[in-house]
Amino acid sequence: MSLAVVIMAAGKGTRLKSRRPKVLHEIGGKPLLAHVIAAASKIVPAADIHVVVGHEAERVQTAVAGTNVNFVLQAEQLGTGHAIQCAREAIAGYNDVLVLSGDVPLIRPETLEMLLEYHRLGSAMTILTALPKDPFGYGRIVRRESENALEVEAIVEQKFLRSEQLRIPEINTGIYVFQTKPLISHLKWLISNDENGEYYLTDLARIFVREGELVTAVEAADADEVLGANTIPELVALDASLRAKTALRLMLQGVTIFRPETCVIDAEVEVGPDTVIEPYVQLLGRTKIGSDCMIRSSTVIENSVLADNVLIRQSCIIADSEIGGGAKIGPFAHLRPGSEIGEDVHIGNFVETKKAKLGKGAKASHLTYLGDAVVGAGSNIGAGVITCNYDGVNKHTTTIGEGVFVGSDSTLVAPILIGDGAYIGAGSCITREVPADALAVGRSRQVTKDGWAAARREQRGKQS
Ligand code: UD1
Ligand code: CA
């Protein structure tokens, strides 16, 4: 039984009032279309998935290029029926076709399997339906008087509902399975039926019935899973619903999330058991957090990997970085891309790192910038130390050995090398290599004038 999946994703999404194509709007940190492709990929291999693109086709294709699906071009968007007409050649070799909408992103593979199972009982067209709280805006299912309770007479779009049909609670989810043969032979009967000249895929229900084909509909167990995103409020509601599910999944895996409704956790984030996440935390992209970690409030972590037992104090921003076990970060630390923080490292408040590798147990506790830097194990970077990595044209590296002590308020002008065990006096500007175990002091000598201040005060007293 060969099965093709067609995903309709060519529409502009006029109701979103956005310049971005609808299917590239994101929920849970991922484009709508990527969610639908992920669900389809659980049903058939990518080679059997055909995505209909049209509006900003190139942009849409680029956004999901990594998935290896096929694309069909619908150059002019003349409706969902026309979208499937454009896919005619792509689906010709398959027995059945599962049609998905690019803007119905929460659909679960289990529900699609259930739909396919019903379809295989012999329908030519099987429609997935639902009973949402508010059916307004959706096409409605007109059931057929028949012994088979699943039989359908027609799908009627909202704007064509007659007054007695307005109360029909059962909606069309925009997800269907067709036998390919009758689909291809009946597609030609579609006529454009609104002021925009659009061809409605939904009209096929009535056409199939007229042509003597069996059309049935089965209801999805969870109406929330098949809601579409046509407007920004709908999109935001789907995002909240998906994030709530992600938080629930993590909590059931042993993660404590206080006030999960305040957290923003993307769909693919992983967190180990016994980790605690405080309110207003954002965990984004492909972030992975180990077990027994503590992520305190208002921290944002994106595409980063944290080992076990890491403490992130309040209000840190961490992107594209790695943090070793037992490290303590923040509060108010900024780990920019390429930071590799070793085991048991301590990064304190107002410290910024970028492409900086810190060895085990190194410390930068206060007010420091470490960019393009390597810091050896056990080294101590004093308060206010700055690596001067940029000469206005190029970036240069600062290499600090193991067990080095860099005194407070020192500037290290890269490229520069500081050997193992060296000492840098506080307030130094270091421009030349410091050998291992040496002391370097780069500051002007202190001048002390005994009695100077007292004499000055006395002078002032006389003048007044
Ligand atoms: C559609 C259904 C409606 C159903 C609802 C479920 C039709 C006529 N109506 O309405 O019965 O209740 O979905 O969410 O099908 N698309 C194309 N090419 C086009 C037009 C649309 O590929 O020419 C794509 C869109 O990008 C979108 C999907 O098809 O991903 C659905 O189109 P949309 O305009 O959102 O249909 P609805 O009005 O929501
Ligand atoms: Ca829609």
Side-chain angles (χ1 to χ4, degrees):
M1 284 283 277
S2 67
L3 176 69
V5 175
V6 174
I7 303 175
M8 300 181 291
K12 180 167 183 241
T14 312
R15 287 163 281 180
L16 281 175
K17 312 265 183 346
S18 161
R19 277 191 297 256
R20 201 183 331 169
K22 170 157 68 178
V23 294
L24 294 190
H25 276 262
E26 296 188 353
I27 64 164
K30 221 164 74 167
L32 296 179
L33 180 57
H35 286 280
V36 180
I37 291 176
S41 304
K42 298 260 168 66
I43 304 289
V44 295
D48 296 322
I49 300 175
H50 305 270
V51 180
V52 183
V53 290
H55 177 70
E56 295 231 39
E58 263 178 45
R59 196 169 160 193
V60 174
Q61 281 179 242
T62 309
V64 296
T67 57
N68 295 324
V69 296
N70 307 286
F71 296 99
V72 172
L73 186 67
Q74 183 191 19
E76 223 185 328
Q77 290 82 62
L78 298 177
T80 47
H82 180 249
I84 301 302
Q85 284 174 338
C86 291
R88 222 183 317 223
E89 272 176 39
I91 60 176
Y94 297 90
N95 293 340
D96 294 282
V97 184
L98 168 62
V99 173
L100 304 177
S101 289
D103 64 344
V104 181
L106 299 182
I107 183 70
R108 287 179 313 131
E110 292 82 350
T111 306
L112 297 176
E113 292 288 5
M114 183 276 291
L115 177 68
L116 286 162
E117 220 168 279
Y118 275 100
H119 176 73
R120 282 169 187 147
L121 297 177
S123 306
M125 174 180 185
T126 313
I127 307 160
L128 183 67
T129 69
L131 296 173
K133 272 188 223 91
D134 181 9
F136 184 83
Y138 290 94
R140 304 303 158 75
I141 304 297
V142 179
R143 292 281 180 173
R144 195 183 155 112
E145 298 278 328
S146 146
E147 279 170 26
N148 180 350
L150 296 177
E151 272 193 66
V152 168
E153 180 74 37
I155 303 172
V156 182
E157 290 303 292
Q158 173 77 39
K159 62 179 168 189
F160 296 130
L161 288 170
R162 291 197 304 271
S163 56
E164 73 274 16
Q165 293 173 323
L166 284 167
R167 272 176 293 127
I168 297 177
E170 189 177 20
I171 65 137
N172 168 30
T173 64
I175 294 171
Y176 326 79
V177 196
F178 294 94
Q179 289 173 359
T180 312
K181 231 186 190 175
L183 174 63
I184 288 182
S185 68
H186 302 325
L187 266 174
K188 62 175 178 288
W189 298 118
L190 286 175
I191 47 168
S192 71
N193 60 3
D194 69 2
E195 65 282 3
N196 307 321
E198 288 203 5
Y199 296 82
Y200 290 179
L201 185 59
T202 45
D203 286 347
L204 278 182
R206 207 190 297 270
I207 292 169
F208 268 49
V209 170
R210 189 186 72 201
E211 299 296 315
E213 310 282 0
L214 177 63
V215 180
T216 61
V218 287
E219 200 190 303
D222 173 13
D224 285 350
E225 180 190 325
V226 290
L227 296 179
N230 296 308
T231 62
I232 298 285
E234 284 174 0
L235 203 64
V236 170
L238 291 190
D239 178 75
S241 150
L242 178 62
R243 289 187 195 282
K245 271 188 206 152
T246 306
L248 184 64
R249 163 175 67 82
L250 293 174
M251 289 190 284
L252 291 172
Q253 289 167 3
V255 182
T256 300
I257 307 177
F258 290 116
R259 307 269 316 275
E261 73 282 7
T262 66
C263 295
V264 175
I265 304 179
D266 279 354
E268 283 164 28
V269 167
E270 291 173 33
V271 184
D274 291 314
T275 284
V276 175
I277 296 170
E278 289 194 343
Y280 299 100
V281 163
Q282 300 197 21
L283 304 177
L284 308 174
R286 291 177 306 280
T287 291
K288 261 191 200 168
I289 295 177
S291 48
D292 294 295
C293 292
M294 174 75 167
I295 315 294
R296 309 217 55 182
S297 57
S298 304
T299 282
V300 180
I301 306 179
E302 187 167 4
N303 294 326
S304 295
V305 180
L306 278 61
D308 298 339
N309 277 306
V310 173
L311 167 62
I312 309 289
R313 295 196 174 98
Q314 289 87 343
S315 300
C316 292
I317 299 178
I318 299 169
D320 301 289
S321 293
E322 282 178 31
I323 301 178
K328 292 183 170 60
I329 313 291
F332 303 103
H334 188 185
L335 273 46
R336 292 169 50 206
S339 298
E340 290 178 47
I341 309 301
E343 273 175 50
D344 301 322
V345 163
H346 181 208
I347 300 280
N349 44 199
F350 306 108
V351 172
E352 173 180 346
T353 63
K354 186 220 75 177
K355 274 198 201 156
K357 187 172 176 169
L358 279 79
K360 187 176 162 113
K363 287 190 174 71
S365 299
H366 334 262
L367 305 159
T368 285
Y369 174 59
L370 296 171
D372 302 293
V374 179
V375 177
S379 287
N380 188 5
I381 310 297
V385 168
I386 306 288
T387 55
C388 308
N389 59 329
Y390 186 49
D391 61 11
V393 182
N394 294 308
K395 299 280 170 69
H396 302 284
T397 305
T398 298
T399 307
I400 299 172
E402 295 188 359
V404 171
F405 180 92
V406 182
S408 295
D409 195 29
S410 293
T411 49
L412 310 175
V413 181
I416 190 95
L417 195 77
I418 297 167
D420 291 346
Y423 259 70
I424 308 291
S428 293
C429 177
I430 300 296
T431 54
R432 277 175 295 151
E433 179 173 340
V434 179
D437 298 318
L439 165 69
V441 184
R443 63 187 184 222
S444 52
R445 272 186 184 281
Q446 180 173 330
V447 177
T448 309
K449 297 182 177 174
D450 283 333
W452 182 92
R456 183 167 182 261
R457 273 193 298 272
E458 202 173 315
Q459 187 83 25
R460 289 239 168 115
K462 275 183 196 158
Q463 280 170 358
S464 61

